[in-house]
Amino acid sequence: MAIARGAGTEIIRTALFEDVANTSQELIIGVQHHIYTVLSITAHCQAVTGTERGYITLVGYDALAGTTGQNIDITTVTCGARETFVWNDKFSFNGYEPVDFSGSMDDATKQDAIADQGSSVSQYLKCNGEEANDNFEVTITYIDQNNA
């Protein structure tokens, strides 16, 4: 049976990623008029020696500078061989960027523009390791709210 994905629905989703290294891997790719709430991200370090570092980054609109496509760091993952990093703080983001405005978000009109997601530019959450020989197993669980 197919999962209902129409307007007004909420779906709990999960995705698994094996062998994440220093190449960017999208975890959530935004869809217009959707809101994503990240429930947890786990990253298991597969390396047998040393310490590895990875990054969880949101690519989207910077409401301070009014700038599109910015890398906004969420956290740095640091773990040793066979250790697991768990992110279980909740945060949400919109599927699309707002129609571009100049300057920072300093009034209700700009705040509404962010909520309206009126641009054609997707926001997304990604992860990557620091070095080519980094190796993370990544799992993400999130809620996808469709407000179309």
Side-chain angles (χ1 to χ4, degrees), residues 67-98:
T67 308
T68 186
Q70 298 302 296
N71 287 318
I72 299 168
D73 295 330
I74 301 297
T75 191
T76 301
V77 176
T78 303
C79 58
R82 305 285 184 216
E83 291 181 346
T84 301
F85 171 87
V86 178
W87 172 278
N88 58 7
D89 291 334
K90 309 327 174 246
F91 68 96
S92 298
F93 67 96
N94 293 325
Y96 265 46
E97 293 187 358

Side-chain angles (χ1 to χ4, degrees), residues 23-140:
T23 302
S24 179
Q25 172 62 57
E26 286 78 17
L27 302 176
I28 301 174
I29 301 167
V31 175
Q32 192 170 34
H33 304 302
H34 286 236
I35 298 171
Y36 303 95
T37 301
V38 175
L39 302 176
S40 69
I41 301 171
T42 61
H44 179 72
C45 178
Q46 290 291 98
V48 280
T49 59
T51 300
E52 295 187 14
R53 186 183 326 248
Y55 305 94
I56 307 293
T57 305
L58 178 61
V59 179
Y61 195 80
D62 176 6
L64 177 63
T67 308
T68 186
Q70 298 302 296
N71 287 318
I72 299 168
D73 295 330
I74 301 297
T75 191
T76 301
V77 176
T78 303
C79 58
R82 305 285 184 216
E83 291 181 346
T84 301
F85 171 87
V86 178
W87 172 278
N88 58 7
D89 291 334
K90 309 327 174 246
F91 68 96
S92 298
F93 67 96
N94 293 325
Y96 265 46
E97 293 187 358
V99 172
D100 197 18
F101 53 79
S102 60
S104 66
M105 184 188 76
D106 55 8
D107 63 41
T109 303
K110 292 176 182 176
Q111 181 174 289
D112 287 345
I114 291 171
D116 293 342
Q117 303 180 43
S119 79
S120 60
V121 180
S122 177
Q123 300 192 115
Y124 58 94
L125 187 67
K126 67 178 183 173
C127 69
N128 62 279
E130 189 171 56
E131 304 291 336
N133 62 350
D134 287 345
N135 185 343
F136 292 97
E137 310 293 303
V138 179
T139 303
I140 183 169

Side-chain angles (χ1 to χ4, degrees), residues 2-21:
I3 296 175
R5 290 183 177 86
T9 59
E10 287 186 349
I11 301 170
I12 293 181
R13 296 181 183 251
T14 189
L16 315 169
F17 303 91
E18 185 176 39
D19 300 330
V20 174

